[in-house]
Amino acid sequence: MPADVFAYISKFVNLSEAEKALFKEHIQIMTTFPRQVLTRVGEMEQHIYFIKKGVLRKYFFKGNEEITSQLNYEGDMVCCSVSFLSGAPSEIILETMEASTLIFITKSSLETLFAYSNNFEKMGRLVWLDWLLYRERWGISRMIKTPKERFHLLLLEKPGLVNRVPQKYLASLLRIKPETFSRYKKILGNSENHSTISRDE
């Protein structure tokens, strides 16, 4: 059973044994291929995924350009949240970047849990609040921090992504040019040259 899911939930609430047993009845496990689309534009998001293994990317199209809005890996929860919460068709694509193992729960199952106990309602509220705060901080950082600072923030918060995700997607996430990302990555291996990264690039 996915003890790592309960470890994640325990950061927010302590489930009783009865609540854990009910939760287990409502979660499912799936394995995916690389580049498998989980949610398409126009679909209603009906799932929340916990990443046991793998990397997932959320992106949208601006004209013909793909814009990466989120990258997640082991230990993260992810879904197309606007669609999930509002019931509107998704404008975001959710896709695996590599073969992945995902633990998921459907929207209907989550509503059943919320109706079962206030503790489950509290869990949902606190998980969403934590996610919203993270997205708010990340969104602000992309607007006010320099490219160098955004690059180092990525290394600090998600260090495992750099060698697992194609560079163009990481650059898109950080809103920097791929060649700038490449230069930062090369300089990372040579601490003597860190000072050569201009703050204004």
Side-chain angles (χ1 to χ4, degrees):
M1 245 349 267
D4 38 6
V5 174
F6 289 119
Y8 177 87
I9 292 173
S10 69
K11 295 187 296 184
F12 306 99
V13 295
N14 292 316
L15 298 180
S16 68
E17 292 305 314
E19 287 169 335
K20 287 181 180 180
L22 181 61
F23 189 84
K24 288 178 183 179
E25 293 178 8
H26 284 273
I27 59 176
Q28 302 176 63
I29 300 177
M30 66 183 294
T31 57
T32 73
F33 298 104
R35 304 305 299 270
Q36 182 170 328
V37 176
L38 302 174
T39 307
R40 293 176 170 81
V41 170
E43 292 182 342
M44 306 291 188
E45 178 63 277
Q46 297 293 327
H47 305 87
I48 295 178
Y49 300 93
F50 179 87
I51 306 173
K52 187 173 179 64
K53 178 185 177 183
V55 178
L56 271 61
R57 179 170 77 111
K58 289 170 65 173
Y59 65 97
F60 61 92
F61 283 94
K62 184 178 181 180
N64 294 323
E65 182 183 6
E66 288 185 9
I67 306 295
T68 299
S69 60
Q70 195 172 332
L71 288 165
N72 297 92
Y73 62 177
E74 289 85 2
D76 289 337
M77 294 189 76
V78 62
C79 74
C80 294
S81 56
V82 173
S83 177
F84 187 89
L85 291 172
S86 69
S90 178
E91 297 180 350
I92 300 290
I93 299 165
L94 179 60
E95 181 180 79
T96 64
M97 295 298 297
E98 57 188 38
S100 302
T101 301
L102 308 173
I103 301 166
F104 68 93
I105 188 168
T106 66
K107 188 173 185 178
S108 60
S109 284
L110 198 59
E111 290 171 349
T112 297
L113 295 182
F114 291 165
Y116 177 80
S117 73
N118 291 334
N119 205 28
F120 277 128
E121 284 192 331
K122 180 181 178 181
M123 174 194 74
R125 184 173 67 254
L126 293 180
V127 168
W128 280 115
L129 178 59
D130 182 70
W131 184 86
L132 289 171
L133 289 173
Y134 172 78
R135 293 303 299 162
E136 180 79 3
R137 289 193 294 265
W138 179 249
I140 291 174
S141 74
R142 290 203 297 180
M143 290 187 289
I144 67 174
K145 291 185 182 296
T146 66
K148 174 186 174 182
E149 290 169 335
R150 295 198 296 273
F151 178 82
H152 282 290
L153 183 63
L154 176 68
L155 295 183
L156 178 66
E157 294 193 346
K158 295 187 179 293
L161 288 178
V162 174
N163 295 317
R164 296 173 66 180
V165 175
Q167 187 169 289
K168 63 180 180 179
Y169 300 134
L170 293 166
S172 176
L173 178 69
L174 297 177
R175 295 182 182 175
I176 63 178
K177 296 178 180 180
E179 54 267 29
T180 301
F181 185 93
S182 180
R183 186 156 54 86
Y184 287 177
K185 186 177 178 181
K186 290 178 182 177
I187 291 174
L188 178 66
N190 186 350
S191 59
E192 295 179 350
N193 293 333
H194 264 351
S195 61
T196 65
I197 302 178
S198 169
R199 176 178 175 81
D200 298 323
E201 290 181 281

